[in-house]
């Protein structure tokens, strides 16, 4: 499970892999910051290709090959719909979120120059009058492509370990 | 809130930004290690400019523009005073601290070559006979300058998300 | 305690230290992934020298100079024994593990080209029907050597802060 995708792979040299790794780290830091600031409009607009696939799903479902996810978006319009839906939700209790990103690795660079990568994420949550706790922890399984010099997500599967998710799970990670 | 400071900014090329990012990561690793070893004398001595500003404050206060903080130091003498005060505190129960630093980003390089940067931190705390918990999580908002080839903090705002802080909050992060 | 080992040290220039740091980060990411996938056979096979020393021990024991550890392996055969023992344990409740690695630093490069390094780790654990919690947090104290172009661990001391360890402590980190 979570095996690297090998069809048509062109494995570049290590120096190139490191460059990709460092670039993906920087991408993830910006991505996390925008989410931590609840700027969901920018999240949907700035980090994905037009036809991007985005999903948040539990590890058990993912490893069973089930397509369903707690969040499931095909294409930017669905990402934007999701962003507006969250922003208009009135049941969203005030809280702070803080992403800790780590363990980025490039698994493969495809013949089409798509970059397959993984990394770990942990989102900390702090509600008013409560202590900081782990909201969600898991792994990003990504496919990046380059457009106009910038990396964009063509696919991001957020596979979370956390089996019990607080009520705010609707929030993208 | 937490907007980049843009007055007189000179945005260097990406390669230079990455160099700064990697150097700041290395700075933060040393900084964290010294704190994890409770070496507060070195903390006050080795990481700041003479006129450095250091503050630990809650996100709510910070975003409201309130100057007050749980720790507030202007200049190295105040940092050293703080270090000695903590070391002499008898109510400081034995514990281990462990910093996890992540998500470093350079937001701007000023015309004066000051480097504005942010990063996320999480401090884990383990008290005797208790399990490891999150002591404090938040964001460093920094201004670095270079002196004699080394980076030093001219300003570090530690803006924590954690609203409920254990009794040892007096400890710098 | 945890002082750098200085005998016969050759301190290379900063650029070389950064290369080592980035390479060690990449090593740790692969190491962590293999453990998170419970692939203990590969863990024992791929990351250590034949004569490697591997230990998991509490910080208190470590700082007191006590040799004992919760896990103690001298040489690859003992690592493999440990791997098989864990895999055959029937009392190992189903769970997910997720490593967050951070704060890697090279402390010294020896005259024998051994690389002494440290880093912080946190292992998150999620049991079925339970929320994600901190399983273990601590510091790797490592000695790496290069064989056939690849870094391998000649020594890894996993010094954990966590004083209360869940029942699965037998699992390597």
């Amino acid at each position: 499970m979570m095996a690297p995708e090998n069809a048509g792979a062109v494995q570049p040299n290590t120096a190139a892999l490191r460059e990709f790794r460092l670039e993906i780290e920087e991408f993830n830091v910006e991505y996390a910051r925008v989410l931590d600031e609840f700027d969901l409009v920018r999240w949907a607009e700035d980090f994905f290709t037009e036809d991007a696939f985005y999903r948040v799903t539990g590890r058990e479902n993912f490893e069973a090959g089930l397509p369903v996810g707690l969040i499931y978006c095909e294409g930017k319009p669905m990402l934007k719909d999701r962003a507006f839906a969250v922003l208009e939700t009135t049941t969203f209790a005030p809280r702070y979120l803080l992403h800790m990103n780590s363990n980025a690795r490039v698994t493969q660079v495809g013949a089409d120059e798509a970059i397959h990568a993984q990394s770990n994420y942990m989102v900390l949550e702090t509600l008013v009058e409560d202590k900081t706790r782990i909201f969600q922890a898991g792994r990003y399984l990504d496919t990046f492509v380059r457009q106009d010099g910038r990396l964009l997500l063509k696919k991001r599967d957020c596979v979370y370990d956390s089996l019990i998710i607080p009520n705010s799970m609707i929030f993208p990670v």
Side-chain angles (χ1 to χ4, degrees), chain A:
Chain A
M1 332 162 190
M2 294 193 178
E5 300 147 40
N6 283 308
V10 175
Q11 208 56 14
N13 63 48
T14 305
L17 283 181
R18 175 163 302 158
E19 281 300 299
F20 287 137
R21 192 258 289 190
L22 294 172
E23 193 175 356
I24 288 167
E25 286 178 353
E26 287 150 12
F27 179 97
N28 283 336
V29 167
E30 295 303 322
Y31 178 100
R33 186 178 61 86
V34 164
L35 283 181
D36 288 347
E37 292 177 359
F38 297 113
D39 192 351
L40 295 188
V41 174
R42 261 197 71 195
W43 168 77
E45 188 61 60
D46 286 4
F47 296 95
F48 297 93
T49 63
E50 279 300 321
D51 63 345
F53 175 84
Y54 176 80
R55 180 171 55 166
V56 182
T57 191
R59 191 154 147 183
E60 198 170 23
N61 282 345
F62 181 82
E63 294 183 348
L66 299 179
V68 68
L70 270 161
I71 302 179
Y72 188 102
C73 298
E74 291 182 301
K76 224 174 209 179
M78 281 184 74
L79 285 162
K80 290 181 184 171
D81 281 353
R82 166 63 57 170
F84 285 116
V86 173
L87 291 173
E88 286 169 9
T89 299
T90 55
T91 59
F92 188 69
R95 77 198 61 205
Y96 296 134
L97 296 179
L98 189 74
H99 281 68
M100 303 290 288
N101 294 89
S102 75
N103 292 45
R105 58 192 288 267
V106 177
T107 55
Q108 192 200 37
V109 180
D112 55 354
E113 304 205 334
I115 304 166
H116 301 272
Q118 297 183 359
S119 59
N120 294 348
Y121 68 89
M122 177 174 56
V123 185
L124 302 177
E125 176 182 64
T126 309
L127 277 86
V128 178
E129 304 293 320
D130 206 349
K131 63 186 176 183
T132 299
R133 60 178 174 169
I134 299 169
F135 163 60
Q136 189 183 132
R139 199 178 291 182
Y140 291 136
L141 306 182
D142 298 330
T143 305
F144 289 94
V145 293
R146 194 176 300 279
Q147 287 183 359
D148 301 328
R150 295 174 55 227
L151 286 187
L152 292 176
L153 284 166
K154 187 177 175 61
K155 178 183 79 80
R156 168 154 282 184
D157 256 317
C158 313
V159 182
Y160 58 88
D161 282 359
S162 311
L163 299 174
I164 296 179
I165 300 283
N167 63 337
S168 55
M169 179 52 213
I170 195 178
F171 204 83
V173 291

